[in-house]
Amino acid sequence: MIQHREEFLETIGNSLKRTVNTKVKPQRNWKYAPQKKGYQGLSQDDLLEILEKQCDKIHTDVVTTTVKDLPNALEQVVDQYGGGPISMWQDSRFDDYNLKPLYEEKWPNKGYDVSKWFPELGEQNIQNAEKANIGLTFSEYVLAESGTVVLFSDQAHGKSVGLLPNNFIAIVKKSMIVPRMTQVAELLNKRIESGESLPSAIDFVSGPSNSADIEMKLVVGVHGPIHATYIILMDE
């Protein structure tokens, strides 16, 4: 809950000698908008090519597949990462894409523990993610320019799933590849204007964790996933 919001805005408004406006959206008729022209006119194939090149730079693998072959592609990536434990969201898309046999039969039969994120489990969800070898999520969008997936976090989609396991897998539709942050902001704004209630947190994740704080030497996997793979669904 936001406290003392009105007093805070009133203080700023008085300092700027402006009337506080909390109802009318300001017009932004910019004369120039170079941020919108950088990748203008590119096809989804073009954006995918840019995404793949950028992901190579940020130590992230890209796997392209179809909806039909998604179960096999996902199983291969999970096996390459050494299997479970696997932490995953509670998300109907797993069933929509015929992944239920994987997490209910194949992975348990291989000895891979699977834990779904259920709100009623509370702190146990975070403990499951901490112990997990793989975190499995869906991404709403992916930014070609930076190789960034966009994760909607809410009660059934815990942020920890993409943050705590050693390996991170995000599934995203090819049609959801956008040039850069500008286009994602526009899409999110349209969804808000249409009355859609967006989740409490929207996370932008660009591959595995890394840091170059010490002597400008890049170290990958410092405080989060060591490896990351984006699975792109080509026929969406």
Side-chain angles (χ1 to χ4, degrees):
M1 177 182 292
I2 300 176
Q3 296 181 334
H4 307 297
R5 179 174 181 267
E6 288 74 17
E7 294 90 332
F8 178 76
L9 293 175
E10 192 71 31
T11 299
I12 295 177
N14 291 336
S15 299
L16 297 174
K17 298 181 179 179
R18 297 178 184 173
T19 303
V20 176
N21 173 22
T22 59
K23 296 182 179 179
V24 181
K25 183 179 177 180
Q27 295 294 320
R28 294 189 174 89
N29 299 318
W30 312 117
K31 186 176 181 180
Y32 301 102
Q35 71 274 19
K36 297 182 180 180
K37 298 180 180 178
Y39 298 93
Q40 202 169 35
L42 297 184
S43 67
Q44 290 307 109
D45 288 332
D46 296 331
L47 293 175
L48 176 59
E49 185 177 348
I50 294 171
L51 173 67
E52 290 176 322
K53 289 180 179 178
Q54 177 60 24
C55 283
D56 185 55
K57 295 177 182 176
I58 62 172
H59 312 282
T60 298
D61 294 326
V62 175
V63 173
T64 57
T65 187
T66 63
V67 170
K68 180 181 178 182
D69 292 334
L70 175 60
N72 290 332
L74 177 58
E75 186 176 15
Q76 288 179 11
V77 175
V78 167
D79 288 342
Q80 287 170 4
Y81 281 152
I86 299 168
S87 177
M88 58 190 288
W89 285 348
Q90 181 193 2
D91 194 307
S92 61
R93 287 172 289 188
F94 287 116
D95 293 353
D96 295 341
Y97 291 134
N98 195 31
L99 300 175
K100 194 172 184 177
L102 271 182
Y103 63 81
E104 285 199 347
E105 297 175 17
K106 280 195 173 183
W107 287 340
N109 289 338
K110 289 183 176 182
Y112 301 168
D113 290 334
V114 178
S115 59
K116 275 191 171 183
W117 188 284
F118 290 106
E120 58 270 25
L121 294 181
E123 288 294 318
Q124 184 63 47
N125 286 309
I126 298 176
Q127 295 175 20
N128 292 337
E130 285 178 333
K131 296 175 183 176
N133 180 47
I134 297 173
L136 178 58
T137 73
F138 283 91
S139 173
E140 303 302 317
Y141 307 102
V142 57
L143 284 60
E145 182 181 59
S146 57
T148 303
V149 289
V150 183
L151 310 181
F152 281 9
S153 298
D154 58 24
Q155 286 189 326
H157 302 81
K159 181 184 297 187
S160 299
V161 174
L163 184 65
L164 299 180
N166 294 327
N167 306 285
F168 170 58
I169 302 172
I171 303 170
V172 61
K173 300 176 183 177
K174 178 185 174 185
S175 59
M176 293 295 104
I177 303 175
V178 299
R180 59 200 310 237
M181 185 67 76
T182 302
Q183 286 71 32
V184 168
E186 290 175 343
L187 289 167
L188 294 176
N189 190 51
K190 288 180 181 177
R191 292 172 70 162
I192 293 172
E193 290 181 338
S194 68
E196 182 176 345
S197 180
L198 294 184
S200 56
I202 298 175
D203 307 314
F204 294 83
V205 180
S206 302
S209 70
N210 60 75
S211 175
D213 290 346
I214 301 176
E215 297 182 351
M216 297 298 290
K217 292 182 178 179
L218 181 64
V219 179
V220 178
V222 177
H223 39 60
I226 303 170
H227 306 102
T229 295
Y230 302 158
I231 298 180
I232 311 295
L233 297 177
M234 300 294 286
D235 49 356
E236 291 286 347

